[in-house]
Amino acid sequence: MQISPAGGGDSQSHPGKEQQAAGVGILLQIMMLVLSFVLGHVLRRHRFYYLPEASASLLIGLIVGALANISNTETSIRAWFNFHEEFFFLFLLPPIIFQSGFSLSPKPFFSNFGAIVTFSILGTFIASVVTGVLVYLGGLIYLTYRLPFVECLMFGALISATDPVTVLSIFQELGIDTNLYALVFGESVLNDAMAISLYRTMSSLKSHAPGQNFFMVIFRFLETFVGSLSAGVGVGFISALISFSAGLDIDNLQNLECCLFVLFPYFSYMLAEGLGLTGIVSILFTGIVMKHYTYSNLSENSQRFVSAFFHLISSLAETFVFIYMGFDIAMEQHSWSHVGFIFFSIIFIGVARAANVFSCAYLVNLVRPAPRQIPVKHQKALWYTGLRGAMAFALALQSVHDLPEGHGQTIFTATTAIVVLTVLLIGGSTGTVLETLQVVGDDHDGPLSESLDGNNGYVAPSYNEDATSGNRLKMKLKEFHKSTASFTALDRNYLTPFFTSQNGDDEEEHGKIDYHQNVT
């Protein structure tokens, strides 16, 4: 599926001109990347939070696309940016998603693991369903363009994928509380896996038997999500076992261990795709496992290299995606006739995000002691910083192929507009909103950060309480929270010593040292 019409018919008959046009196109793309990185550095250096780096990349793409539209080179430039959807899923998204999982090892993320899972799994499901239902009801009462119910759920799934790139750089500059940072980062990373699994499930449901019952839909989703997760975790543990048993932490084997470390994530991705699962979910959990176990088995030089390498390619890919989104919205023929669909979708997304954040925060606070409960101001910050980015755009791009009769094009137009608006407006105002909510300057100072050294916030449930339904729910949630603490002990006492060359205590100290390196 081509997202830009192939142009330059004359160049087809003149290979020399076609090669020249391709070279100029690549040069233009490189120039935009260079300009984006330089502009982003200048903005960050001068602490200008109203135009984050992602917003700057979007604007560069918009400006170049607008100039191309009013010039005589429009057809050629369209041909230069003539990409397939596979290009995004095979070359751009894997390094972005792997780097996200690769950065989830430090202690703050695992100390908040229960909350992160609640927001990213349950919360994304709530947001997807609420968005889909509201869009469908809006179509029934002629507020928005009417779509079939399954397609509304597909739209709700893809638009529920959040992107942390824009806000996290502002978080670091302003010194936001470590736990709030971990919640925003962890939720946005894991909810990509949930969103793409929901989207694939709904797409499969539409393509095959529309009369399947609810339990078959649940089974298909669990098959996709759990299967992809298992494949990613399995490949991650295999890489850790090979690096540990082979003794690759030798300086003269740096080339070998770096090559293996780079190849395993793509092996995980292709394995999941070959099995009919979701490669994005698989490579995400491979990144988490490899950073937690395999990374510790590398030599110091190799650790520095692989960290810099994946950070480099993920930054290039992420910046290119935002440039392309800006270029695409200026160049392509979008379905702007359904402006009402875009307007009300933004409102519905805000409502769904609120249902996600505040309901999940309520459940998390049921099992946390008072010092570690998520404050209301942090909940508001979580709600406001739910920007849409690369994953939503890529899934919307795929929907053009998956949905007939122009429905996919309508969803693609709406998603592109929503991504641009949220990145430019919400991303640019995030610093001001955080200062208004008074969550600025809490890094490592507040009671939440101090309590990280305790028992992960778990308080043993009291079975002497009255056996009301509310208390039973609270006890069940506390038991679930206890299981996450038990996993931490299992990891420290058994998994880390078995798969790495250091014990659990060393790994914990290593995570503290690496924290500030990984969040940059």
Side-chain angles (χ1 to χ4, degrees), residues 6 37 48 75 79 171 299 352 370 401 500 506 508:
F37 282 111
F48 188 77
T75 303
F171 276 25
S299 62
H401 175 71
T500 70
D506 294 338
E508 186 173 306

Side-chain angles (χ1 to χ4, degrees), residues 412-432:
F412 180 58
T413 300
T415 303
T416 305
I418 290 169
V419 170
V420 172
L421 290 174
T422 56
V423 171
L424 290 179
L425 299 181
I426 298 180
S429 60
T430 296
T432 302

Side-chain angles (χ1 to χ4, degrees), residues 42-57:
V42 172
L43 293 172
R44 187 169 59 250
R45 183 176 180 180
H46 290 84
R47 298 178 179 271
F48 188 77
Y49 303 128
Y50 298 102
L51 188 65
E53 296 175 66
S55 302
S57 301

Side-chain angles (χ1 to χ4, degrees), residues 114-307:
I116 290 173
V117 170
T118 302
F119 281 108
S120 58
I121 304 299
L122 177 61
T124 304
F125 178 79
I126 293 173
S128 301
V129 173
V130 171
T131 302
V133 170
L134 289 178
V135 170
Y136 181 72
L137 294 178
L140 289 180
I141 60 177
Y142 303 103
L143 274 179
T144 65
Y145 180 67
R146 185 169 180 177
L147 294 173
F149 184 64
V150 175
E151 295 182 10
C152 291
L153 292 178
M154 292 173 65
F155 175 67
L158 70 88
I159 207 63
S160 297
T162 59
D163 194 312
V165 173
T166 301
V167 298
L168 290 185
S169 60
I170 300 176
F171 276 25
Q172 296 169 35
E173 295 291 336
L174 296 179
I176 301 300
D177 178 81
T178 304
N179 291 272
L180 177 58
Y181 183 100
L183 287 176
V184 173
F185 190 16
E187 184 232 350
S188 61
V189 169
L190 295 182
N191 93 327
D192 283 350
M194 183 69 176
I196 194 172
S197 297
L198 285 173
Y199 178 86
R200 294 280 178 89
T201 301
M202 293 298 106
S203 178
S204 176
L205 178 64
K206 178 177 176 58
S207 302
H208 296 91
Q212 295 184 71
N213 58 38
F214 175 76
F215 295 102
M216 184 58 66
V217 174
I218 296 297
F219 174 78
R220 192 175 295 273
F221 165 74
L222 292 176
E223 179 186 28
T224 302
F225 184 79
V226 177
S228 304
L229 185 153
S230 302
V233 171
V235 171
F237 277 124
I238 290 173
S239 70
L241 194 60
I242 290 176
S243 63
F244 175 62
S245 59
L248 295 180
D249 58 339
I250 303 175
D251 289 337
N252 59 5
L253 293 179
Q254 178 181 352
N255 184 62
L256 173 61
E257 61 183 3
C258 289
C259 289
L260 292 177
F261 197 94
V262 171
L263 289 175
F264 268 111
Y266 283 94
F267 174 77
S268 171
Y269 183 91
M270 295 304 174
L271 174 64
E273 291 292 330
L275 295 175
L277 303 172
T278 305
I280 295 297
V281 178
S282 179
I283 198 173
L284 169 65
F285 286 96
T286 299
I288 295 174
V289 174
M290 289 185 69
K291 179 56 187 293
H292 199 52
Y293 299 104
T294 313
Y295 184 79
S296 302
N297 297 327
L298 304 180
S299 62
E300 292 184 4
N301 290 334
S302 296
Q303 288 180 351
R304 287 192 293 267
F305 172 80
V306 296
S307 296

